[in-house]
Amino acid sequence: MGIRIKRVGVLGAGVMGQGIAAHLANAGIPSYLFDVAPGELTDAEAAAGLTLEDRKVRNRISDAGVTAMKRAKPALLYRADLGSLVTACNYEDDLDKLGECDWIVEVVVERMDIKQRVFEMVDEHRREGSVVSSNTSGLSVEAMAEGRSEDFKRHFMVTHFFNPVRYMRLLELVPTPETDPDVFAGMAEFGERVLGKGIVYCKDTPNFIANRIGTFGIASVFHWMAEYGVGVAEADALFGPTMGRAKSAVFRTADIVGLDTMAHVLTTIAEGCPDDPWRDRFTVPESMQALIADGRLGAKTGAGFYKKVKGEKGSVILSLDLDTLDYVDTGKVRLPVVGAARKKEATAEKVAEIVWFDDDHGRLAWKVTAETSIYALELLGEIADDIVNVDRAMRWGFGYEMGPFETWDAIGVARSVERMRAEGMIVPEAVDRLLEYGEGSWYVERDGVPFYWDVTAETYKPVPISEGVIFLSTLAESGKVLASSVGATLYDMGDGVGCVAFHTKMNAIDGTILEVIETGCDMVDSGELVGLVVGNEATNFSVGANVGLIGMLAMSKDWDQIGQAVSAIQDAYMRMKYCDGPVVVAPRGMALGGGCEAVMHGDAVRAAAESYIGLVELGVGLIPAGGGCKEMAFRFYGSIPEGVKADLFPFMEKVFMTVGMGTVSTSAEEAKFHGFLRRSDRITLNPDAVLADAKADVLAMVASGYKPPVPRKVPVPGTSGIAALKVGVHGMQQGNYLSEYDEYLGTVLATVLCGGDVPSGTLLSEQDFLDLEREAFVGLCQEQKTMDRIMHMLESGKPLRN
């Protein structure tokens, strides 16, 4: 990579500045977080005898930013201690520190005059060759650089992050005419590989790509919903997850963003784009104006389009009646169009079902989808060079599962154009060229390679894919399938590395997955493969074992079959651990229960940074029985060096609390603290790169002379440990922290984690622990209260505390 970023200056300690500094810390990069030095003392400072010259006073604003960053919910940092990488600074005392920075990013108020003054200061104190960027969401990048030095201009660009920076993948990049192409490319590579962002290349136009099109889509909903008699709650039910959108949909999103901010974005586009053919759509709706005037700005003021109030049975969410501006309780919104769409499997099928549905909700979805498709096409060339950048911007910035052109393909280009014109919509001629000279869709696949329609060249071109990234869908299309079952597929990743990918519902572990794991291990042991990756491209790696199947077997009282099912999982995971070649597990999203146990049995793990890992079986009245208890015991008890006499109780308490409380890590970094990952396991911030990085890990282990681990034994707390834990659990039950059945489950878990009825210090093997797990699991399946918990989870998706 041509650019190395070892330290960053973040100018502005507000919400966005905090988010950028925190995410740099997540990537291991230290930063200086700047803000102004206060001009007057607070009452508390004056009472404490401080003066304006005291450092504590001068850094008050930036210190507050660092504190807010550390306390933010949801967490901005992968681990709390990473906050130490952010240093509070002020502009008056610390400008010399800008000379230490490889990158300086401005995140101050959206006013051109203020930004230009900031960049004048930066130009004076930066060192030559350092990158400077603005996080502006809509001001002209060229105008911001006016009057600056030549070296500044060559290293200047927009790097527009989306909030919250940790969780939103989009990073929009915008150069000036004078930006050095190599510097620009280097920052794109840094943003993708180091910060894990999805890079989208934009033109220097107001609000760039995502906010321009996303805001238009929201404005289109406002425009049409009254005509079809659709209210706030109904609109959000329509434009939510069933349409492949975020759960916050339209109006909840507006509340989260802030109605004043939303109005500012609408006004910015209306004023900054006088030639936009849809300019009238960006008029701030009267209802929004009224709410703003009344101080109802959304989530930050407690009321906007929604308001939470206390009811007889707890909190109730009320939605706004747009006619009266009063709040009403609409209850649970159920729409026939959404019900019909949910019967479809793929998002593309669901969207098509909705927009062609013959009722007012379907017609509203059609109007908004059709207009947004036309608008996105009209802006090509103005905001972006191709449809790929537009679709990626909407997927990565607004959480859409499909961008506007992907959606257009889903609803049928030819069919939709016919309806658009029948309804009087003006459709750009570029669509006619696609239908005449293309294959009737914006995207096609050829020999496993995705292509997009280039509107300018009027031909299909390969979709740009970062070097080294591996997509399983491409392997499938290329005939790289080695074995498959209903629940999993074994792919050939090349260079002798196989990949076991799950594809059951929610990737729940069942026999069809275990079958493919065993096949992959067989091929490694026979020399057909050198090693395996276990991973997939799903949102969640695996939510656990198939609880529904366990429930059915328990209802049939088929205890032998349950025991065999547990043994099958244990055996498959042990095959992974002791396979003749390295097995690297590559989780992303949730890896819970049996999914967590799969992760723990790899020789190594290459985890996506946003991996949420935990052993949660007690929530359904069971204990981890796929080797989870065993692995936790071996990782903690086994961490004591041989020959060293140490108290096992602190280790025992840590393991018991982690498993007993159903702890789930909030990041891959935190998973190391809990023991679900080893300290040596590696983390990748870019989710698209996880599989390729895992493959590289396999090959590196092979090249370094991999040998399977040698089985060993660990000392256990035994009966004395069980007794101690029972006392603790009973005390929690007596204090009403646990139910009586929770107490019983705790005693069963304690027995397994302590190694059973043996003297303290007894050495146990892995098989000893597996036998304890299996026996306890089958025994709990025979308990009615466990059955009640399983059925409640299957029916409601929530745990039962009986």
Side-chain angles (χ1 to χ4, degrees):
M1 185 169 65
I3 290 181
R4 293 188 65 192
I5 305 295
K6 294 188 287 184
R7 185 178 293 277
V8 179
V10 181
L11 310 184
V15 172
M16 284 303 299
Q18 295 166 25
I20 292 171
H23 198 59
L24 288 165
N26 289 335
I29 300 172
S31 66
Y32 295 124
L33 184 61
F34 282 82
D35 217 300
V36 297
E40 58 184 29
L41 297 174
T42 64
D43 291 342
E45 289 168 342
L50 298 175
T51 71
L52 289 174
E53 301 306 313
D54 285 309
R55 186 71 179 189
K56 184 176 180 181
V57 174
R58 299 178 73 75
N59 273 6
R60 183 211 309 152
I61 297 175
S62 52
D63 273 333
V66 173
T67 300
M69 174 199 74
K70 293 177 179 178
R71 295 177 177 174
K73 298 295 180 184
L76 299 179
L77 295 163
Y78 292 156
R79 286 194 333 263
D81 63 309
L82 290 172
S84 63
L85 291 173
V86 182
T87 303
C89 297
N90 71 76
Y91 295 123
E92 294 186 21
D93 302 320
D94 302 309
L95 285 178
D96 60 315
K97 288 183 169 58
L98 294 180
E100 303 173 25
C101 298
D102 304 297
W103 173 28
I104 301 165
V105 55
E106 168 272 313
V107 204
V108 303
V109 65
E110 286 285 272
R111 278 181 46 183
M112 182 63 76
D113 59 332
I114 294 177
K115 289 183 185 290
Q116 288 179 330
R117 287 204 301 271
V118 167
F119 288 131
E120 181 179 4
M121 173 183 66
V122 170
D123 203 1
E124 182 180 347
H125 292 88
R126 64 183 281 271
R127 62 172 175 75
E128 284 198 6
S130 62
V131 178
V132 184
S133 70
S134 172
N135 190 65
T136 182
S137 60
L139 296 180
S140 169
V141 59
E142 187 173 3
M144 283 187 287
E146 286 181 3
R148 302 278 60 81
S149 66
E150 292 304 311
D151 186 77
F152 181 104
K153 291 180 178 180
R154 286 198 304 273
H155 293 84
F156 183 66
M157 67 192 72
V158 161
T159 53
H160 181 218
F161 292 88
F162 273 57
N163 187 47
V165 179
R166 168 181 167 179
Y167 300 99
M168 299 303 293
R169 193 165 168 212
L170 178 60
L171 175 56
E172 292 180 318
L173 296 186
V174 190
T176 74
E178 297 176 78
T179 303
D180 186 322
D182 290 337
V183 173
F184 191 69
M187 283 301 290
E189 186 177 358
F190 169 78
E192 182 178 52
R193 290 296 300 172
V194 179
L195 299 184
K197 297 302 177 185
I199 306 300
V200 165
Y201 301 97
C202 309
K203 300 294 187 71
D204 191 4
T205 57
N207 292 93
F208 311 128
I209 298 175
N211 279 337
R212 182 82 173 269
I213 293 176
T215 302
F216 176 85
I218 292 172
S220 182
V221 173
F222 275 111
H223 179 81
W224 289 106
M225 59 190 294
E227 177 166 331
Y228 293 108
V230 176
V232 167
E234 289 178 305
D236 275 357
L238 181 63
F239 291 99
T242 311
M243 277 201 76
R245 309 286 181 86
K247 189 176 181 180
S248 56
V250 178
F251 293 97
R252 288 189 190 278
T253 296
D255 274 0
I256 293 168
V257 171
L259 304 195
D260 51 344
T261 302
M262 182 65 68
H264 174 73
V265 173
L266 287 164
T267 303
T268 298
I269 296 175
E271 294 178 352
C273 305
D275 297 327
D276 191 308
W278 300 80
R279 188 169 180 266
D280 290 345
R281 282 284 195 276
F282 296 102
T283 301
V284 180
E286 291 183 7
S287 59
M288 188 182 292
Q289 294 181 40
L291 289 172
I292 293 171
D294 195 32
R296 290 186 272 176
L297 305 180
K300 58 188 173 185
T301 61
F305 288 108
Y306 291 93
K307 182 179 181 180
K308 182 186 289 187
V309 298
K310 290 185 177 180
E312 294 181 0
K313 298 181 179 179
S315 297
V316 178
I317 304 294
L318 305 180
S319 61
L320 190 75
D321 183 310
L322 293 177
D323 294 324
T324 66
L325 298 186
D326 293 327
Y327 294 98
V328 295
D329 184 359
T330 57
K332 190 169 182 64
V333 178
R334 299 185 185 279
L335 306 179
V337 62
V338 173
R342 283 177 176 163
K343 296 177 182 178
K344 304 294 183 180
E345 288 293 327
T347 299
E349 296 172 338
K350 293 178 181 179
V351 172
E353 180 70 23
I354 288 173
V355 300
W356 294 108
F357 201 82
D358 189 19
D359 72 359
D360 283 340
H361 295 104
R363 283 185 277 275
L364 172 61
W366 157 256
K367 284 290 190 184
V368 173
T369 301
E371 284 191 348
T372 305
S373 299
I374 292 171
Y375 187 67
L377 180 55
E378 288 178 336
L379 291 183
L380 277 184
E382 177 186 343
I383 64 172
D385 286 329
D386 55 60
I387 67 173
V388 176
N389 278 291
V390 173
D391 282 343
R392 286 175 172 173
M394 298 312 298
R395 282 193 277 111
W396 294 335
F398 274 70
Y400 290 7
E401 291 187 36
M402 299 186 301
F405 294 96
E406 293 163 322
T407 300
W408 209 339
D409 278 350
I411 67 175
V413 177
R415 183 186 180 192
S416 63
V417 167
E418 183 179 351
R419 181 175 174 181
M420 290 171 184
R421 287 180 169 148
E423 294 180 5
M425 299 183 194
I426 300 174
V427 184
E429 292 183 2
V431 179
D432 300 312
R433 310 291 289 180
L434 168 70
L435 294 173
E436 183 177 358
Y437 299 111
E439 297 178 28
S441 60
W442 296 105
Y443 293 91
V444 296
E445 276 202 6
R446 297 173 178 170
D447 298 323
V449 178
F451 284 74
Y452 73 96
W453 179 257
D454 186 303
V455 173
T456 302
E458 295 186 350
T459 188
Y460 287 105
K461 294 182 177 180
V463 173
I465 296 174
S466 299
E467 185 177 351
V469 173
I470 296 173
F471 290 111
L472 298 180
S473 55
T474 302
L475 296 180
E477 293 291 335
S478 303
K480 300 294 185 180
V481 174
L482 299 175
S484 64
S485 69
V486 174
T489 299
L490 175 61
Y491 295 96
D492 178 4
M493 301 181 82
D495 301 309
V497 179
C499 178
V500 175
F502 312 157
H503 44 72
T504 56
K505 185 175 182 179
M506 294 294 286
N507 285 335
I509 307 296
D510 65 10
T512 64
I513 287 178
L514 303 178
E515 172 190 334
V516 176
I517 290 175
E518 295 276 10
T519 299
C521 292
D522 287 342
M523 293 185 72
V524 173
D525 289 349
S526 68
E528 296 173 79
L529 295 172
V530 299
L532 289 177
V533 170
V534 178
N536 51 62
E537 294 169 344
T539 302
N540 296 310
F541 174 76
S542 173
V543 298
N546 189 332
V547 178
L549 175 60
I550 297 297
M552 289 174 57
L553 293 173
M555 290 177 67
S556 303
K557 298 185 178 181
D558 195 343
W559 317 125
D560 289 341
Q561 188 67 28
I562 292 175
Q564 292 171 19
V566 172
S567 292
I569 293 178
Q570 293 177 344
D571 292 345
Y573 288 172
M574 289 293 280
R575 283 293 308 279
M576 288 168 52
K577 184 170 185 176
Y578 290 102
C579 187
D580 286 346
V583 176
V584 176
V585 187
R588 58 193 291 181
M590 289 189 290
L592 306 178
C596 173
E597 290 170 316
V599 171
M600 296 177 77
H601 281 82
D603 292 292
V605 175
R606 170 65 73 161
E610 297 297 343
S611 293
Y612 315 117
I613 308 174
L615 296 168
V616 296
E617 285 84 352
L618 264 74
V620 288
L622 298 168
I623 68 159
C629 294
K630 177 261 297 182
E631 279 299 306
M632 292 295 282
F634 268 69
R635 291 182 182 201
F636 283 87
Y637 308 154
S639 66
I640 301 171
E642 287 187 28
V644 175
K645 290 187 177 181
D647 184 1
L648 289 172
F649 276 38
F651 299 88
M652 172 193 74
E653 290 174 344
K654 166 72 173 175
V655 173
F656 181 78
M657 291 301 295
T658 299
V659 180
M661 298 300 291
T663 302
V664 177
S665 72
T666 61
S667 68
E669 281 287 355
E670 190 180 271
K672 293 183 177 182
F673 171 79
H674 295 305
F676 303 133
L677 298 184
R678 310 172 191 85
R679 291 293 176 185
S680 59
D681 288 331
R682 305 180 72 180
I683 296 170
T684 294
L685 271 66
N686 185 341
D688 286 346
V690 171
L691 291 178
D693 288 351
K695 175 191 172 184
D697 292 341
V698 170
L699 293 174
M701 294 169 75
V702 171
S704 63
Y706 172 82
K707 299 294 182 186
V710 177
R712 61 193 179 112
K713 295 183 178 182
V714 296
V716 297
T719 52
S720 58
I722 297 171
L725 290 176
K726 281 184 176 181
V727 170
V729 171
H730 183 67
M732 293 182 71
Q733 193 279 321
Q734 290 296 299
N736 294 320
Y737 294 104
L738 301 175
S739 69
E740 289 186 4
Y741 196 59
D742 286 329
E743 180 182 1
Y744 175 69
L745 291 171
T747 62
V748 173
L749 177 64
T751 301
V752 175
L753 291 178
C754 292
D757 188 13
V758 297
S760 178
T762 300
L763 295 175
L764 294 189
S765 68
E766 289 181 276
Q767 191 58 53
D768 292 330
F769 269 101
L770 293 175
D771 292 342
L772 286 168
E773 287 183 4
R774 185 175 60 256
E775 180 182 351
F777 188 94
V778 175
L780 289 172
C781 286
Q782 299 176 43
E783 298 284 345
Q784 182 58 46
K785 288 190 175 182
T786 285
M787 280 301 301
D788 293 341
R789 290 192 177 198
I790 290 174
M791 297 312 296
H792 189 271
M793 177 63 75
L794 293 173
E795 292 170 2
S796 69
K798 298 178 181 179
L800 171 68
R801 293 299 179 195
N802 53 353

